[in-house]
Short mmCIF file of all heavy atoms in Angstrom, two decimals:
data_model
loop_
_atom_site.label_atom_id
_atom_site.label_comp_id
_atom_site.label_asym_id
_atom_site.label_seq_id
_atom_site.Cartn_x
_atom_site.Cartn_y
_atom_site.Cartn_z
N ARG A 17 9.90 -13.13 -10.16
CA ARG A 17 10.82 -14.01 -10.89
C ARG A 17 11.95 -13.23 -11.53
O ARG A 17 12.54 -13.67 -12.53
CB ARG A 17 10.05 -14.80 -11.96
CG ARG A 17 9.04 -15.79 -11.38
CD ARG A 17 8.05 -16.29 -12.46
NE ARG A 17 8.80 -16.92 -13.55
CZ ARG A 17 8.27 -17.02 -14.79
NH1 ARG A 17 7.10 -16.53 -15.12
NH2 ARG A 17 8.98 -17.66 -15.73
N VAL A 18 12.31 -12.11 -10.93
CA VAL A 18 13.44 -11.30 -11.46
C VAL A 18 14.44 -11.07 -10.33
O VAL A 18 14.07 -10.87 -9.18
CB VAL A 18 12.95 -9.96 -12.07
CG1 VAL A 18 12.23 -10.21 -13.36
CG2 VAL A 18 12.08 -9.21 -11.09
N VAL A 19 15.71 -11.06 -10.71
CA VAL A 19 16.80 -10.73 -9.78
C VAL A 19 17.67 -9.69 -10.46
O VAL A 19 17.59 -9.50 -11.69
CB VAL A 19 17.59 -11.96 -9.37
CG1 VAL A 19 16.74 -12.96 -8.63
CG2 VAL A 19 18.28 -12.62 -10.57
N TRP A 20 18.58 -9.08 -9.72
CA TRP A 20 19.42 -8.02 -10.26
C TRP A 20 20.88 -8.46 -10.19
O TRP A 20 21.30 -9.07 -9.20
CB TRP A 20 19.25 -6.73 -9.50
CG TRP A 20 20.03 -5.54 -10.05
CD1 TRP A 20 19.56 -4.64 -11.00
CD2 TRP A 20 21.37 -5.16 -9.76
NE1 TRP A 20 20.56 -3.74 -11.28
CE2 TRP A 20 21.68 -4.02 -10.51
CE3 TRP A 20 22.34 -5.68 -8.89
CZ2 TRP A 20 22.93 -3.39 -10.47
CZ3 TRP A 20 23.57 -5.05 -8.83
CH2 TRP A 20 23.85 -3.89 -9.62
N GLY A 21 21.67 -8.14 -11.24
CA GLY A 21 23.10 -8.43 -11.21
C GLY A 21 23.90 -7.31 -11.83
O GLY A 21 23.43 -6.64 -12.73
N SER A 22 25.12 -7.15 -11.36
CA SER A 22 25.97 -6.08 -11.85
C SER A 22 26.70 -6.44 -13.14
O SER A 22 26.98 -5.60 -14.01
CB SER A 22 27.02 -5.64 -10.80
OG SER A 22 28.01 -6.66 -10.68
N ASP A 23 27.09 -7.73 -13.31
CA ASP A 23 27.97 -8.15 -14.39
C ASP A 23 29.30 -7.41 -14.35
O ASP A 23 29.90 -7.13 -15.39
CB ASP A 23 27.32 -8.00 -15.77
CG ASP A 23 28.06 -8.82 -16.88
OD1 ASP A 23 28.69 -9.82 -16.49
OD2 ASP A 23 27.95 -8.43 -18.02
N HIS A 24 29.75 -7.08 -13.17
CA HIS A 24 31.02 -6.41 -12.99
C HIS A 24 32.15 -7.45 -13.10
O HIS A 24 32.00 -8.54 -12.60
CB HIS A 24 31.09 -5.76 -11.60
CG HIS A 24 32.27 -4.85 -11.39
ND1 HIS A 24 33.51 -5.30 -10.96
CD2 HIS A 24 32.39 -3.53 -11.58
CE1 HIS A 24 34.31 -4.30 -10.88
NE2 HIS A 24 33.71 -3.20 -11.26
N PRO A 25 33.23 -7.18 -13.86
CA PRO A 25 33.66 -5.92 -14.44
C PRO A 25 33.24 -5.69 -15.88
O PRO A 25 33.63 -4.70 -16.48
CB PRO A 25 35.16 -5.98 -14.35
CG PRO A 25 35.44 -7.45 -14.57
CD PRO A 25 34.29 -8.18 -13.91
N VAL A 26 32.46 -6.65 -16.51
CA VAL A 26 32.09 -6.46 -17.89
C VAL A 26 31.31 -5.15 -18.07
O VAL A 26 31.39 -4.49 -19.11
CB VAL A 26 31.26 -7.68 -18.36
CG1 VAL A 26 30.87 -7.53 -19.83
CG2 VAL A 26 32.06 -8.98 -18.18
N VAL A 27 30.62 -4.74 -17.01
CA VAL A 27 29.84 -3.51 -17.04
C VAL A 27 30.72 -2.30 -17.33
O VAL A 27 30.26 -1.28 -17.83
CB VAL A 27 29.10 -3.36 -15.70
CG1 VAL A 27 30.03 -3.01 -14.57
CG2 VAL A 27 28.00 -2.32 -15.77
N THR A 28 32.01 -2.39 -17.04
CA THR A 28 32.91 -1.27 -17.26
C THR A 28 33.27 -1.05 -18.71
O THR A 28 33.85 0.00 -19.05
CB THR A 28 34.22 -1.43 -16.43
OG1 THR A 28 34.96 -2.55 -16.93
CG2 THR A 28 33.94 -1.61 -14.96
N LYS A 29 32.94 -1.96 -19.59
CA LYS A 29 33.26 -1.82 -21.01
C LYS A 29 32.49 -0.66 -21.64
O LYS A 29 32.99 0.00 -22.55
CB LYS A 29 32.97 -3.11 -21.76
CG LYS A 29 33.88 -4.27 -21.39
CD LYS A 29 33.49 -5.53 -22.13
CE LYS A 29 33.80 -5.46 -23.59
NZ LYS A 29 33.52 -6.76 -24.29
N THR A 30 31.29 -0.39 -21.18
CA THR A 30 30.47 0.69 -21.72
C THR A 30 29.91 1.58 -20.63
O THR A 30 28.94 2.30 -20.88
CB THR A 30 29.33 0.12 -22.58
OG1 THR A 30 28.56 -0.80 -21.75
CG2 THR A 30 29.82 -0.60 -23.83
N GLY A 31 30.43 1.51 -19.45
CA GLY A 31 29.93 2.33 -18.35
C GLY A 31 30.68 2.07 -17.08
O GLY A 31 31.88 1.96 -17.07
N SER A 32 29.93 1.93 -16.01
CA SER A 32 30.53 1.66 -14.70
C SER A 32 29.48 1.01 -13.82
O SER A 32 28.25 1.06 -14.12
CB SER A 32 31.01 2.97 -14.04
OG SER A 32 29.91 3.80 -13.70
N LEU A 33 29.93 0.41 -12.74
CA LEU A 33 28.98 -0.14 -11.74
C LEU A 33 28.06 0.98 -11.25
O LEU A 33 26.84 0.74 -11.14
CB LEU A 33 29.79 -0.74 -10.59
CG LEU A 33 28.96 -1.26 -9.43
CD1 LEU A 33 28.06 -2.42 -9.86
CD2 LEU A 33 29.89 -1.69 -8.27
N THR A 34 28.62 2.10 -10.95
CA THR A 34 27.80 3.21 -10.41
C THR A 34 26.67 3.63 -11.42
O THR A 34 25.52 3.76 -11.04
CB THR A 34 28.66 4.45 -10.10
OG1 THR A 34 29.59 4.07 -9.07
CG2 THR A 34 27.83 5.59 -9.60
N ARG A 35 27.04 3.75 -12.67
CA ARG A 35 26.04 4.18 -13.68
C ARG A 35 24.95 3.13 -13.82
O ARG A 35 23.78 3.44 -13.99
CB ARG A 35 26.69 4.42 -15.02
CG ARG A 35 27.48 5.74 -15.13
CD ARG A 35 27.90 5.97 -16.56
NE ARG A 35 26.74 6.23 -17.45
CZ ARG A 35 26.76 6.09 -18.78
NH1 ARG A 35 27.88 5.69 -19.38
NH2 ARG A 35 25.68 6.31 -19.50
N TRP A 36 25.33 1.84 -13.77
CA TRP A 36 24.34 0.78 -13.93
C TRP A 36 23.38 0.73 -12.75
O TRP A 36 22.20 0.56 -12.90
CB TRP A 36 25.05 -0.57 -14.15
CG TRP A 36 24.16 -1.78 -14.12
CD1 TRP A 36 24.40 -2.90 -13.41
CD2 TRP A 36 22.97 -2.02 -14.84
NE1 TRP A 36 23.44 -3.85 -13.63
CE2 TRP A 36 22.52 -3.30 -14.48
CE3 TRP A 36 22.20 -1.26 -15.72
CZ2 TRP A 36 21.33 -3.87 -15.01
CZ3 TRP A 36 21.01 -1.81 -16.23
CH2 TRP A 36 20.61 -3.10 -15.90
N VAL A 37 23.90 0.85 -11.54
CA VAL A 37 23.04 0.87 -10.36
C VAL A 37 22.08 2.09 -10.42
O VAL A 37 20.89 1.96 -10.18
CB VAL A 37 23.88 0.93 -9.06
CG1 VAL A 37 22.96 1.15 -7.87
CG2 VAL A 37 24.65 -0.39 -8.89
N GLU A 38 22.63 3.25 -10.77
CA GLU A 38 21.78 4.44 -10.83
C GLU A 38 20.73 4.31 -11.89
O GLU A 38 19.53 4.68 -11.68
CB GLU A 38 22.64 5.68 -11.09
CG GLU A 38 23.55 6.04 -9.92
CD GLU A 38 24.50 7.20 -10.26
OE1 GLU A 38 24.67 7.48 -11.48
OE2 GLU A 38 25.09 7.77 -9.31
N ALA A 39 21.06 3.72 -13.05
CA ALA A 39 20.06 3.52 -14.11
C ALA A 39 19.01 2.54 -13.66
O ALA A 39 17.82 2.75 -13.96
CB ALA A 39 20.79 3.06 -15.36
N SER A 40 19.42 1.46 -13.04
CA SER A 40 18.47 0.43 -12.56
C SER A 40 17.46 1.04 -11.60
O SER A 40 16.26 0.83 -11.69
CB SER A 40 19.21 -0.72 -11.91
OG SER A 40 20.08 -1.34 -12.82
N ARG A 41 17.98 1.83 -10.66
CA ARG A 41 17.07 2.48 -9.66
C ARG A 41 16.16 3.46 -10.35
O ARG A 41 14.95 3.55 -9.98
CB ARG A 41 17.92 3.16 -8.60
CG ARG A 41 18.68 2.21 -7.68
CD ARG A 41 19.29 2.99 -6.49
NE ARG A 41 20.15 2.21 -5.68
CZ ARG A 41 19.73 1.38 -4.70
NH1 ARG A 41 18.44 1.21 -4.46
NH2 ARG A 41 20.63 0.72 -3.94
N GLU A 42 16.66 4.19 -11.33
CA GLU A 42 15.80 5.14 -12.04
C GLU A 42 14.69 4.46 -12.81
O GLU A 42 13.53 4.91 -12.80
CB GLU A 42 16.67 5.98 -13.01
CG GLU A 42 15.91 6.96 -13.89
CD GLU A 42 15.25 8.09 -13.11
OE1 GLU A 42 15.69 8.36 -11.95
OE2 GLU A 42 14.30 8.70 -13.65
N ILE A 43 14.99 3.32 -13.44
CA ILE A 43 13.99 2.61 -14.25
C ILE A 43 12.84 2.10 -13.39
O ILE A 43 11.69 2.11 -13.79
CB ILE A 43 14.65 1.47 -15.02
CG1 ILE A 43 15.56 2.09 -16.12
CG2 ILE A 43 13.63 0.54 -15.68
CD1 ILE A 43 16.50 1.06 -16.77
N VAL A 44 13.13 1.63 -12.17
CA VAL A 44 12.10 1.05 -11.32
C VAL A 44 11.61 1.95 -10.20
O VAL A 44 10.92 1.52 -9.30
CB VAL A 44 12.59 -0.30 -10.74
CG1 VAL A 44 12.95 -1.25 -11.84
CG2 VAL A 44 13.74 -0.10 -9.77
N LYS A 45 11.95 3.23 -10.29
CA LYS A 45 11.60 4.15 -9.18
C LYS A 45 10.11 4.26 -8.97
O LYS A 45 9.64 4.61 -7.90
CB LYS A 45 12.26 5.50 -9.36
CG LYS A 45 11.68 6.35 -10.46
CD LYS A 45 12.38 7.71 -10.52
CE LYS A 45 11.74 8.61 -11.59
NZ LYS A 45 12.43 9.93 -11.61
N GLY A 46 9.32 4.00 -10.00
CA GLY A 46 7.86 4.07 -9.87
C GLY A 46 7.25 2.84 -9.25
O GLY A 46 6.05 2.83 -8.92
N ALA A 47 8.03 1.79 -9.07
CA ALA A 47 7.53 0.58 -8.43
C ALA A 47 7.45 0.77 -6.94
O ALA A 47 8.06 1.67 -6.34
CB ALA A 47 8.42 -0.59 -8.76
N SER A 48 6.66 -0.08 -6.28
CA SER A 48 6.53 0.02 -4.83
C SER A 48 7.78 -0.41 -4.14
O SER A 48 8.61 -1.14 -4.74
CB SER A 48 5.35 -0.88 -4.37
OG SER A 48 5.71 -2.26 -4.47
N PRO A 49 7.99 0.00 -2.89
CA PRO A 49 9.18 -0.46 -2.15
C PRO A 49 9.26 -1.98 -2.13
O PRO A 49 10.34 -2.53 -2.15
CB PRO A 49 9.00 0.14 -0.80
CG PRO A 49 8.20 1.41 -1.04
CD PRO A 49 7.26 1.02 -2.13
N ASP A 50 8.13 -2.67 -1.96
CA ASP A 50 8.11 -4.12 -1.90
C ASP A 50 8.56 -4.70 -3.22
O ASP A 50 9.35 -5.67 -3.23
CB ASP A 50 6.72 -4.63 -1.58
CG ASP A 50 6.65 -6.13 -1.51
OD1 ASP A 50 7.24 -6.74 -0.61
OD2 ASP A 50 6.00 -6.72 -2.40
N GLU A 51 8.12 -4.17 -4.34
CA GLU A 51 8.54 -4.67 -5.65
C GLU A 51 10.04 -4.42 -5.85
O GLU A 51 10.73 -5.31 -6.37
CB GLU A 51 7.72 -3.99 -6.74
CG GLU A 51 6.27 -4.43 -6.76
CD GLU A 51 5.37 -3.58 -7.64
OE1 GLU A 51 5.70 -2.38 -7.87
OE2 GLU A 51 4.34 -4.11 -8.13
N GLN A 52 10.51 -3.26 -5.49
CA GLN A 52 11.94 -3.01 -5.65
C GLN A 52 12.74 -3.93 -4.74
O GLN A 52 13.82 -4.40 -5.17
CB GLN A 52 12.22 -1.54 -5.27
CG GLN A 52 11.61 -0.54 -6.25
CD GLN A 52 12.01 0.88 -5.91
OE1 GLN A 52 13.13 1.19 -5.61
NE2 GLN A 52 11.02 1.79 -5.94
N ALA A 53 12.29 -4.23 -3.57
CA ALA A 53 13.02 -5.14 -2.66
C ALA A 53 13.08 -6.52 -3.27
O ALA A 53 14.10 -7.23 -3.15
CB ALA A 53 12.34 -5.18 -1.31
N ARG A 54 12.01 -6.95 -3.96
CA ARG A 54 12.04 -8.28 -4.58
C ARG A 54 13.09 -8.32 -5.70
O ARG A 54 13.81 -9.33 -5.80
CB ARG A 54 10.65 -8.60 -5.16
CG ARG A 54 9.64 -9.07 -4.11
CD ARG A 54 8.31 -9.44 -4.73
NE ARG A 54 7.35 -8.34 -4.58
CZ ARG A 54 6.14 -8.37 -5.13
NH1 ARG A 54 5.75 -9.42 -5.88
NH2 ARG A 54 5.30 -7.37 -4.96
N LEU A 55 13.18 -7.29 -6.48
CA LEU A 55 14.16 -7.27 -7.56
C LEU A 55 15.57 -7.21 -7.02
O LEU A 55 16.43 -7.97 -7.45
CB LEU A 55 13.90 -6.06 -8.46
CG LEU A 55 15.03 -5.73 -9.48
CD1 LEU A 55 15.14 -6.83 -10.53
CD2 LEU A 55 14.78 -4.40 -10.17
N PHE A 56 15.85 -6.34 -6.04
CA PHE A 56 17.20 -6.07 -5.67
C PHE A 56 17.76 -7.03 -4.60
O PHE A 56 19.00 -7.11 -4.49
CB PHE A 56 17.31 -4.62 -5.13
CG PHE A 56 17.23 -3.59 -6.22
CD1 PHE A 56 16.26 -2.61 -6.23
CD2 PHE A 56 18.17 -3.59 -7.24
CE1 PHE A 56 16.21 -1.67 -7.24
CE2 PHE A 56 18.15 -2.65 -8.26
CZ PHE A 56 17.14 -1.65 -8.27
N HIS A 57 16.91 -7.75 -3.88
CA HIS A 57 17.54 -8.70 -2.94
C HIS A 57 16.61 -9.87 -2.55
O HIS A 57 17.10 -10.96 -2.37
CB HIS A 57 18.09 -8.00 -1.72
CG HIS A 57 17.01 -7.35 -0.82
ND1 HIS A 57 16.34 -8.02 0.15
CD2 HIS A 57 16.57 -6.08 -0.81
CE1 HIS A 57 15.52 -7.19 0.76
NE2 HIS A 57 15.63 -6.00 0.20
N ARG A 58 15.33 -9.63 -2.41
CA ARG A 58 14.50 -10.64 -1.79
C ARG A 58 14.33 -11.88 -2.68
O ARG A 58 14.43 -13.04 -2.19
CB ARG A 58 13.10 -10.05 -1.45
CG ARG A 58 12.31 -10.96 -0.52
CD ARG A 58 10.99 -10.27 -0.15
NE ARG A 58 11.25 -9.01 0.54
CZ ARG A 58 10.32 -8.00 0.55
NH1 ARG A 58 9.19 -8.12 -0.10
NH2 ARG A 58 10.60 -6.90 1.20
N ASN A 59 14.10 -11.70 -3.99
CA ASN A 59 13.98 -12.86 -4.86
C ASN A 59 15.28 -13.66 -4.95
O ASN A 59 15.27 -14.90 -4.99
CB ASN A 59 13.60 -12.41 -6.26
CG ASN A 59 12.19 -11.91 -6.36
OD1 ASN A 59 11.35 -12.10 -5.46
ND2 ASN A 59 11.88 -11.15 -7.43
#
C-alpha cells in the first residue's frame, strides 16, 4: 500500500531529485527486490 513520488520541483527547495532518489534507495536497500519493486513501480 505504498508508492513513491519525487514531488519535483518542490524537492529542489531543500535538495534535488538525485539526492531524494539516492536517499530513498538507501533507506530501503535492506528490503527484498520484490518489496522494492512494489514501492518503486508495481503498486
Side-chain angles (χ1 to χ4, degrees):
R17 294 167 58 204
V18 289
V19 298
W20 185 90
S22 72
D23 196 27
H24 190 273
V26 182
V27 72
T28 65
K29 293 177 69 175
T30 55
S32 67
L33 176 63
T34 297
R35 284 189 67 199
W36 171 229
V37 171
E38 290 174 346
S40 300
R41 292 190 186 278
E42 176 67 20
I43 291 168
V44 302
K45 71 178 183 181
S48 71
D50 179 68
E51 289 168 334
Q52 293 183 45
R54 281 183 261 175
L55 169 65
F56 286 121
H57 63 88
R58 194 176 300 156
N59 290 344

